[in-house]
Amino acid sequence: MDLSTRYLGLSLHNPLVAGASPLSHTVDGVRRLADAGVGAVVLYSLFEEQLRREAAHNERMALQGSESYAESLSYFPANVESSGNGGPERYLRQLERAVAAVDVPVIGSLNASTPGDWAHYARRMQDAGSAAIELNIYYLPGDAGVDGRAVEQRHLDVLAEVKSAAGIPVAVKLSPYFSATADMAHRLDAAGADGLVLFNRFLQPDIDPETLTAVRTVTLSTAAETRLPLTWIALLSGRIRASLAASTGVELAGDVVKYLLAGADVVQSASALLRHGPEYADVLLRGLSEWMARKGFQSLAEVRGLLAAPDTEHSGLRERADYVWAVRKANNGIYEAY
């Protein structure tokens, strides 16, 4: 069974990619994921805030040195590269060690929300051996004074900064909350994004009515959340140059299959691997192979995009017709349990 695929111009043994998570926070974790059979690993994210703190610390230390006696002007504090908990320097060392430890591509992850001079770290990721960069643009525009066009432009500006700094492929992980998601995908594609990861999940705080407090917690995704990325992957497959990576809701091998049928080049999993351990990757891949054998498929190329949305001028009308059909079905008391 041929499970090989291409993503961001990289040749992968299979389409299962370990998404950025605590599992890739250590070299041992990356090694366990690779040993379990994943096609690639996305390292845990390096945050824009860490890079800005590092830059501010470096500036303070440089100014401190400039005010010393003449014989000390060449001095530069030894701890400037490892301020705080190690920050970006620790990340880059970790990335370099992870790349050396496994024989699958390791993809560095930058989590950002604004353009800035921090983007040169993309080049440093490249120098550390990163096969590509996943640019996670996490930006929730809660300010009523920011219009939709400004939000879209911010994504394009951040991408441009990173692309100008690095010579390796860059995938953009974005949210689905645009007024015209397909247009945003096409604009990112035209701006040079080598891939799109659909989708990011915003932190959604809960409220505890007993303690009268907001509860900020990260919840693992469930299979019920596949519908949204599944829809957009099916609508974008074959319509843009960039690779498509599915993210969110992968729990069973059947979820991997659905994303591939919709047109995904790869399928990322983080929550399922956190729930069941890195070795669960083998379960997902065996399930994919068994399904392909049962259906008579010999290669992933035969599967990918088989159920993508038809490329017609009237796709909007088709979506509207599907919606009306589903509502009529529900009105007749026919529901699908998920």
Side-chain angles (χ1 to χ4, degrees), residues 252-306:
L252 303 173
D255 301 316
V256 177
V257 170
K258 289 177 183 180
Y259 276 134
L260 294 171
L261 287 170
D265 294 290
V266 297
V267 179
Q268 291 194 7
S269 177
S271 293
L273 299 180
L274 284 167
R275 283 193 187 97
H276 308 293
E279 295 71 25
Y280 190 66
D282 180 61
V283 175
L284 295 174
L285 289 169
R286 281 191 287 108
L288 171 60
S289 294
E290 290 167 3
W291 175 85
M292 289 175 63
R294 192 168 70 250
K295 294 297 183 181
F297 294 113
Q298 298 300 314
S299 71
L300 215 61
E302 300 174 63
V303 176
R304 187 183 298 107
L306 197 61

Side-chain angles (χ1 to χ4, degrees), residues 73-194:
L73 288 178
S74 61
Y75 166 76
F76 200 76
N79 69 341
V80 77
E81 291 294 329
S82 57
S83 59
N85 63 357
E89 296 304 321
R90 177 181 181 277
Y91 184 95
L92 293 167
R93 291 194 298 270
Q94 189 96 325
L95 172 59
E96 193 167 16
R97 289 197 296 267
V99 169
V102 298
D103 60 359
V104 299
V106 177
I107 299 171
S109 175
L110 271 174
N111 190 304
S113 64
T114 62
D117 54 8
W118 56 264
H120 76 275
Y121 275 92
R123 178 64 189 218
R124 298 194 63 188
M125 285 186 179
Q126 176 181 334
D127 294 342
S130 184
I133 292 172
E134 182 171 288
L135 179 57
N136 186 338
I137 303 179
Y138 189 101
Y139 175 54
L140 182 62
D143 185 349
V146 178
D147 64 24
R149 205 65 178 178
V151 173
E152 295 169 356
Q153 190 59 48
R154 177 180 291 215
H155 283 69
L156 296 168
D157 290 344
V158 173
L159 172 62
E161 291 276 359
V162 174
K163 286 289 290 186
S164 67
I168 53 178
V170 177
V172 178
K173 188 172 187 179
L174 69 160
S175 84
Y177 304 114
F178 294 95
S179 59
T181 301
D183 176 67
M184 190 70 241
H186 279 275
R187 292 174 67 193
L188 288 166
D189 185 42
D194 299 282

Side-chain angles (χ1 to χ4, degrees), residues 316-327:
L317 295 177
R318 176 181 176 277
E319 290 298 311
R320 178 70 183 177
D322 287 347
Y323 164 72
V324 172
W325 177 85
V327 170

